[in-house]
């Protein structure tokens, strides 16, 4: 089967799936209607579906009884707490919730791949597991499926993400760093309250927090090797109650991003030292807390064989000019959780298209895509699965 040609023929259906999902977005861990919709669509294709009483998302399996190897394809299904401002006829009908990160595209493309693969299931020398994953934005929603054993026996997994930094329809299939690891954190600064007219009687938590903010910047500028990617961001500051009171408490929140595990550990230790001494110098104390449930490793394509296979699959479908280069991102992606347990590959599908207004970054209320690229993603998902299984079986 010419999977590119067949995917183009399914283009209208893939677009319809995407528009339905876009119109009915749901937040992380609340993707109930989305899960029901996906399970129903997979069942229509004759694909075995597993859902979960205590969790959202679902898994489809093609050739569930086949004794051969298992390859997995993953799409994330959750949306963001963003009010849409696109003017699209199929805009979100759920107030304050929007598919602004392309997960509706990923999910529709994987549904398309499911149809392509199911149509040739009898020719596949193994199983294909289709993971429609909940709560990627909740980071790491993927852990559930690993911890419950639903991905046991999978020998390779492919994930894909639309990319505003690449031309529409192009594919970035590259070795090395793709998306950074992350540690979100909060700092609580405590001082002594006083009236604004008698500052000498208090210990100003706002001043101490300001010192922490400034001194934290030295970790990126003076502790880290400038050739090693590192982002340390203070993103929220909460303090004070009224104009004439020196507050005794300030809360800072932020995120740490890097690819290097050793640097990650070093910066976390140094943050403790910096904030403790910065606060103490002003008569205050500071406590740093890393939010472990919201942490994850970097996405690094470190399996050259999978990269080469996917590049070959893409060239087979679309020719070698389909490939492009995309710089590593300091954004994070919970596909990294899956890659820690299963050899994995993460691919970017370009969506930048000035002709149709698809020029906005991820997480923008104006986010848009040229839907003509959706069959490209479906075809690559499917071709990679076919080629991987054939390779494993020596075909």
């Amino acid at each position: 089967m010419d999977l590119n040609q067949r995917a183009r023929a399914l283009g209208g259906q893939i677009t319809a799936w995407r528009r339905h999902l876009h119109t009915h977005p749901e937040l992380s861990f609340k993707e109930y209607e989305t899960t029901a919709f996906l399970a129903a669509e997979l069942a229509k294709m004759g694909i075995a579906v597993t859902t979960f009483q205590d969790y959202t998302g679902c898994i489809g399996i093609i050739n569930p009884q086949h004794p051969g190897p298992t390859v997995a394809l993953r799409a994330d299904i959750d949306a963001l707490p963003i009010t849409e401002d696109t003017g699209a006829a199929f805009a979100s009908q759920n107030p304050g919730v929007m598919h602004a990160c392309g997960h509706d595209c990923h999910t529709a493309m994987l549904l398309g791949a499911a149809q392509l693969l199911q149509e040739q299931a009898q020719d596949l020398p193994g199983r294909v597991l289709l993971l429609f994953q909940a709560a990627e934005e909740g980071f790491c929603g993927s852990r559930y499926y690993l911890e419950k054993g639903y991905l046991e026996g999978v020998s390779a997994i492919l994930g894909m993400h639309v990319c505003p930094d690449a031309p529409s329809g192009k594919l970035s299939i590259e070795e090395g760093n793709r998306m950074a690891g992350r540690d979100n954190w909060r700092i609580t600064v405590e001082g002594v309250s006083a009236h604004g007219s008698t500052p000498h009687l208090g210990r100003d938590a706002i001043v101490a927090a300001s010192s922490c903010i400034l001194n934290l910047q030295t970790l990126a500028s003076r502790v880290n090797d400038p050739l090693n990617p590192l982002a340390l961001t203070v993103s929220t500051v909460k303090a004070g109650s009224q104009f004439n009171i020196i507050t005794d408490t300030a809360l800072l929140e932020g995120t740490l991003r890097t690819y290097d595990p050793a640097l990650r550990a070093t910066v976390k230790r140094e943050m403790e030292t910096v904030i403790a001494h910065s606060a103490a110098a002003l008569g205050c104390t500071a406590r740093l807390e890393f939010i472990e449930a919201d942490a994850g490793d970097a996405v690094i394509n470190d399996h050259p064989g999978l990269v080469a296979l996917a590049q070959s699959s893409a060239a087979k479908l679309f020719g070698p000019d389909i490939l492009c280069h995309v710089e590593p991102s300091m954004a994070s992606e919970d596909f990294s959780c899956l890659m820690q347990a299963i050899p994995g590959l993460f691919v970017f599908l370009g969506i930048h298209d000035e002709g149709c207004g698809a020029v906005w970054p991820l997480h923008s209320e104006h986010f848009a895509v040229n839907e003509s690229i959706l069959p490209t993603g479906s075809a690559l998902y499917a071709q990679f699965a076919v080629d991987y299984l054939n390779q494993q079986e020596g075909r």
Side-chain angles (χ1 to χ4, degrees), residues 7 22 45 52 64 70 93 121 147 150 181 199 263 278 286 304 340 345 375:
H22 192 89
M45 299 176 198
F52 318 98
T70 302
Q93 294 181 1
E147 293 171 355
Y150 292 114
L263 174 62
S278 298
Q340 297 307 306
L345 174 66

Side-chain angles (χ1 to χ4, degrees), residues 324-367:
C324 71
H325 171 65
V326 171
E327 291 291 331
S329 170
M330 296 306 287
S332 58
E333 161 57 73
D334 96 344
F335 190 72
S336 62
C337 301
L338 299 170
M339 295 177 90
Q340 297 307 306
I342 304 166
L345 174 66
F346 199 67
V347 172
F348 291 129
L349 172 59
I351 59 170
H352 186 89
D353 189 337
E354 295 184 6
C356 71
V359 297
W360 301 96
L362 302 177
H363 293 212
S364 166
E365 68 273 22
H366 305 295
F367 179 80

Side-chain angles (χ1 to χ4, degrees), residues 221-233:
S221 67
R222 291 297 178 269
V223 172
N224 181 47
D225 180 341
L227 299 179
N228 200 0
L230 171 67
L232 179 56
T233 300

Side-chain angles (χ1 to χ4, degrees), residues 59-277:
I59 291 174
I61 302 182
I62 297 172
N63 286 349
Q65 304 305 319
H66 200 290
T70 302
V71 62
L73 308 173
R74 174 268 204 172
D76 36 15
I77 68 173
D78 55 330
L80 288 158
I82 291 173
T83 298
E84 181 165 354
D85 186 18
T86 63
F90 51 90
S92 171
Q93 294 181 1
N94 296 341
V97 185
M98 177 188 176
H99 271 297
C101 196
H103 295 189
D104 52 339
C105 299
H106 309 158
T107 302
M109 292 188 301
L110 188 52
L111 281 175
Q115 179 68 55
L116 296 174
L117 291 165
Q118 181 67 358
E119 289 175 358
Q120 56 175 322
Q122 69 280 2
D123 298 323
L124 297 175
R127 296 176 295 275
V128 181
L129 185 148
L130 310 161
L131 173 58
F132 292 90
Q133 181 212 308
E136 189 281 327
E137 300 291 352
F139 213 96
C140 281
S142 60
R143 288 183 181 135
Y144 173 89
Y145 312 100
L146 289 168
E147 293 171 355
K148 297 294 184 178
Y150 292 114
L151 303 183
E152 287 184 6
V154 174
S155 54
I157 187 166
L158 172 68
M160 197 180 313
H161 206 296
V162 294
C163 178
D165 297 326
S168 189
K170 294 288 188 178
L171 290 163
S172 165
I173 307 173
E174 304 178 70
E175 290 186 44
N177 295 344
R178 296 287 78 201
M179 301 187 78
R182 87 176 185 187
D183 292 281
N184 291 346
W185 50 264
R186 64 174 63 96
I187 295 170
T188 303
V189 180
E190 295 182 345
V192 177
S193 183
H195 194 276
S197 64
T198 56
H200 59 291
L201 300 180
R203 294 293 180 265
D204 195 331
I206 289 178
V207 173
S210 300
S211 181
C212 290
I213 293 170
L214 291 174
N215 290 332
L216 284 172
Q217 308 311 306
T218 65
L219 297 181
S221 67
R222 291 297 178 269
V223 172
N224 181 47
D225 180 341
L227 299 179
N228 200 0
L230 171 67
L232 179 56
T233 300
V234 180
S235 52
T236 71
V237 180
K238 302 173 184 176
S241 57
Q242 62 185 55
F243 72 95
N244 61 347
I245 299 296
I246 290 174
T247 189
D248 60 356
T249 305
L251 177 67
L252 310 177
E253 294 175 317
T255 188
L256 166 66
R257 307 293 175 100
T258 182
Y259 284 93
D260 184 341
L263 174 62
R264 183 180 180 187
T266 296
V267 171
K268 291 171 77 170
R269 289 194 304 270
E270 292 290 332
M271 287 179 68
E272 295 271 9
T273 301
V274 166
I275 67 133
H277 289 286

Side-chain angles (χ1 to χ4, degrees), residues 258-322:
T258 182
Y259 284 93
D260 184 341
L263 174 62
R264 183 180 180 187
T266 296
V267 171
K268 291 171 77 170
R269 289 194 304 270
E270 292 290 332
M271 287 179 68
E272 295 271 9
T273 301
V274 166
I275 67 133
H277 289 286
S278 298
L282 295 163
C284 297
T285 62
R287 182 177 68 257
L288 172 64
E289 175 190 0
F290 287 96
I291 306 168
E292 296 301 330
D294 201 21
D297 295 317
V299 173
I300 302 174
N301 287 339
D302 55 2
H303 294 277
L306 294 180
V307 174
L309 180 66
Q311 289 174 341
S312 173
S313 299
K316 184 184 304 181
L317 289 166
F318 315 112
D321 291 341
I322 192 71

